[in-house]
Amino acid sequence: MPILEVQNIHKRFGRTEVLKGIDFSLEQGQVLSIIGSSGSGKTTLLRCITQLEQADRGRIIVSGRTVFDAGEALTLTKEEKRQRQLTFGMVFQSFHLFPQYNVLENVTLATRLHARELPDFSARKAEILSEIDREARELIASVGLSEKLKNYPCELSGGQQQRVAIARALAMKPQILCFDEPTSALDPELTGEVLSVIKSLANRHMTMIIVTHEMRFAREVSDQVLFMDGGHIRARGTPEEIFLHPEDPRLRDFLGSFQDRGL
Amino acid sequence: MSFWDVNVTLMKGLVVSVELFFLTLLFAIPLGLVICLGSMNGWRPLRFLAGRGRSGGARAVCGALGSFMPVRAVCRLVVWIIRGTPLMLQILVVYFGPGLMFHWPLLPRFTAALLTFVINYACYFSEIYRGGIQAIPRGQYEAGQVLGMTRAQTFFHVILLQLIKNVVPPMGNELITLVKDTALVRVISVYELIWMGESFIRKGFIWPLFYTGVFYLAFSGLLTLLLGWFEKKLSYFRA
């Protein structure tokens, strides 16, 4: 059974229909890359999956449990929505770290707030908080930033900020981690460090969805690739099928534009 | 009449000015927030904080407010009128207006002055807050949301401090202006600093009036130091 099933997602903004019926599924531990030109609907799809946008039609099922259903979206309480949102982690193009907190605090803030809801929080407060702290330090170490625990986001490079953002998303233990063009806001020499963190997550079988313009990276890291065009999935397949034997003419044009620039 | 006597008299005036200053802040800071929320009615991230998808009655109320654009129109109209007319004129209208129009008894002079100042400054503050709120990137709200924080948690743990940092410099400007604007209430004979200074003219001395400037300088100087300290406190991060 796939961990994620996305069924018939439609989304329009005003008169523009951005997503025109998107279906796909993803197996546990797999990495899915979504490619396509700007305005093809990639980011909107990701935002619908992570429920930052509400799709107009469609369903999203994770591990057999419906986490989004356009039909019932309005009847859900705030609390139910919040719990469902936690199925997914999200890493944004421009990081969105909390500027007033240092690296460690950025990673622990949400987990600490969540811990307050535990029934035995007041009884085991010290223990729970030290556990959160320990886990956060491990995560920060795993993205290679143990030296920067007490630094503020404004003191870090873009690549370092994005690695903190990944650690912050992982701290919530999401079942599926989503990346929205995680390296597009970075200087070219800083993309490598972020991509290698994502690769190491793939090696540890984290289920991930990555919207990206890094074709070589998508080819190396993905199990499955979707090519979006005009709100549809125009082509889908393994990296070999998409990058080495593209059949769809639009996909060929799209990939050609990268080859012309030597990417 | 000694230098000492002048200082004692001017001090009495200063107390009234300072009182007006602090009472204005006490009421205008929260009222400004109310006007700000009113004039931002329907703005998307605010709607997020105000709670779409609340249950039952709260949802109905929020929904009604959200679609009730007149709230916004009224708030913006009030802000336009208050910012678009002289404060001195407003003081006169508040003090004399109700009596002339409706034959109501006059308000006590200090109360009328305070009321005018609170309304006037709340309008200016509301625009400062609006700028401060709109300067916070939407990504901050979204980051809170994807991390499963509640709206209240996102506001208090993420947004608030950035908002405060954004508004401190422009608020500082307004506070300094307020120090000097207190002199305007002399127009309805509230015995504040300038009025006290002027009272010496009858006795043939003009210098005490000029000397009041030193008091204003000292007050605004203190305020500048305080604001500078606070800004520095918040300078450890870049919003």
Side-chain angles (χ1 to χ4, degrees):
Chain A
M1 190 181 69
I3 185 173
L4 173 69
E5 281 176 80
V6 171
Q7 299 174 346
N8 195 30
I9 295 288
H10 287 255
K11 176 70 184 174
R12 59 166 65 238
F13 293 112
R15 287 191 185 165
T16 325
E17 195 170 16
V18 184
L19 298 176
K20 301 170 183 165
I22 301 290
D23 292 271
F24 70 87
S25 64
L26 185 61
E27 298 294 326
Q28 169 83 46
Q30 286 204 329
V31 177
L32 169 75
S33 292
I34 306 177
I35 60 172
S37 47
S38 304
S40 59
K42 312 182 294 292
T43 294
T44 306
L45 174 59
L46 200 65
R47 290 173 61 86
C48 284
I49 293 170
T50 53
Q51 302 179 28
L52 285 169
E53 301 284 352
Q54 204 159 47
D56 303 322
R57 271 199 273 161
R59 290 213 307 164
I60 297 169
I61 299 161
V62 174
S63 310
R65 202 171 62 98
T66 301
V67 294
F68 176 80
D69 185 341
E72 58 159 36
L74 289 171
T75 61
L76 285 181
T77 66
K78 212 168 44 165
E79 192 50 37
E80 285 165 329
K81 275 189 190 164
R82 195 163 72 87
Q83 291 305 331
R84 290 174 176 210
Q85 190 133 39
L86 283 171
T87 318
F88 300 96
M90 175 77 160
V91 175
F92 297 92
Q93 183 175 352
S94 35
F95 336 130
H96 301 321
L97 292 181
F98 305 131
Q100 71 267 47
Y101 295 116
N102 65 31
V103 167
L104 184 60
E105 289 164 342
N106 259 284
V107 177
T108 55
L109 177 67
T111 33
R112 279 162 162 271
L113 292 172
H114 264 263
R116 290 184 189 176
E117 292 163 21
L118 294 174
D120 57 348
F121 179 68
S122 47
R124 296 175 45 228
K125 190 174 176 184
E127 191 186 334
I128 292 173
L129 291 182
S130 77
E131 176 66 14
I132 287 174
D133 189 79
R134 196 185 56 75
E135 282 180 10
R137 283 168 192 268
E138 268 174 27
L139 282 170
I140 294 166
S142 76
V143 298
L145 287 171
S146 293
E147 313 281 287
K148 304 282 183 185
L149 280 178
K150 302 288 173 189
N151 287 78
Y152 288 90
C154 62
E155 300 164 336
L156 303 179
S157 73
Q160 291 170 333
Q161 290 190 48
Q162 193 60 298
R163 280 144 67 195
V164 176
I166 293 171
R168 181 178 72 170
L170 288 171
M172 298 308 296
K173 303 193 174 76
Q175 296 186 51
I176 300 164
L177 188 53
C178 301
F179 295 84
D180 183 16
E181 303 191 22
T183 57
S184 296
L186 299 177
D187 293 336
E189 75 269 24
L190 299 177
T191 57
E193 56 188 80
V194 172
L195 297 180
S196 73
V197 166
I198 301 176
K199 265 185 214 164
S200 75
L201 288 173
N203 292 336
R204 281 182 275 152
H205 304 292
M206 180 82 208
T207 313
M208 294 188 281
I209 304 175
I210 307 169
V211 168
T212 186
H213 287 296
E214 300 275 345
M215 293 303 139
R216 188 181 304 166
F217 170 71
R219 198 169 134 184
E220 285 171 30
V221 81
S222 317
D223 299 292
Q224 201 190 144
V225 181
L226 300 183
F227 170 62
M228 286 189 67
D229 186 61
H232 294 285
I233 295 177
R234 187 80 191 214
R236 64 178 88 202
T238 62
E240 288 73 31
E241 289 165 342
I242 294 290
F243 292 107
L244 299 180
H245 313 290
E247 282 170 11
D248 184 80
R250 300 294 284 273
L251 174 58
R252 260 185 253 162
D253 284 352
F254 174 73
L255 293 174
S257 72
F258 280 87
Q259 271 149 16
D260 292 346
R261 283 180 283 140
L263 297 168
Chain B
M1 185 202 71
S2 68
F3 183 59
W4 174 251
D5 294 333
V6 171
N7 276 319
V8 169
T9 311
L10 292 187
M11 268 309 208
K12 282 183 197 155
L14 181 67
V15 168
V16 176
S17 297
V18 170
E19 217 174 320
L20 183 61
F21 175 87
F22 282 109
L23 286 173
T24 302
L25 289 189
L26 182 68
F27 295 111
I29 286 175
L31 181 61
L33 194 58
V34 173
I35 298 174
C36 168
L37 295 180
S39 59
M40 287 175 71
N41 209 327
W43 189 60
R44 194 182 156 141
L46 190 70
R47 260 190 352 223
F48 161 73
L49 282 181
R52 284 264 155 133
R54 251 174 236 270
S55 52
R59 181 184 191 160
V61 171
C62 287
L65 270 175
S67 55
F68 187 54
M69 287 308 178
V71 170
R72 173 155 134 187
V74 166
C75 286
R76 297 217 166 157
L77 180 71
V78 169
V79 170
W80 173 59
I81 292 171
I82 297 296
R83 293 203 306 174
T85 55
L87 178 53
M88 187 189 277
L89 183 62
Q90 292 166 15
I91 296 169
L92 292 170
V93 168
V94 169
Y95 183 59
F96 294 111
L100 293 173
M101 285 184 286
F102 312 112
H103 305 288
W104 291 357
L106 290 176
L107 285 171
R109 277 176 267 180
F110 185 84
T111 312
L114 179 63
L115 184 63
T116 319
F117 270 59
V118 168
I119 296 171
N120 184 282
Y121 272 83
C123 285
Y124 280 96
F125 291 168
S126 79
E127 288 296 289
I128 290 175
Y129 297 154
R130 191 158 70 96
I133 290 175
Q134 285 175 348
I136 294 171
R138 206 167 110 200
Q140 293 290 309
Y141 299 90
E142 293 185 346
Q145 198 185 337
V146 293
L147 290 168
M149 290 159 69
T150 64
R151 294 177 167 112
Q153 286 171 341
T154 304
F155 183 75
F156 286 106
H157 294 273
V158 176
I159 303 301
L160 187 61
L161 194 61
Q162 297 182 48
L163 176 59
I164 291 172
K165 184 183 168 90
N166 286 346
V167 302
V168 167
M171 283 295 271
N173 253 336
E174 285 304 312
L175 298 198
I176 302 284
T177 307
L178 175 57
V179 171
K180 294 164 297 173
D181 275 355
T182 57
L184 289 172
V185 302
R186 187 227 160 280
V187 76
I188 53 170
S189 303
V190 174
Y191 300 158
E192 47 65 69
L193 188 50
I194 289 281
W195 198 94
M196 290 301 198
E198 271 188 77
S199 70
F200 288 96
I201 295 176
R202 272 175 284 136
K203 299 173 193 160
F205 299 99
I206 189 85
W207 68 265
L209 176 61
F210 297 166
Y211 177 53
T212 58
V214 175
F215 287 72
Y216 286 109
L217 274 178
F219 190 9
S220 57
L222 257 165
L223 211 56
T224 306
L225 288 177
L226 195 72
L227 287 162
W229 171 81
F230 194 53
E231 238 178 274
K232 209 171 158 199
K233 273 255 149 195
L234 290 174
S235 69
Y236 72 92
F237 73 91
R238 266 203 307 272

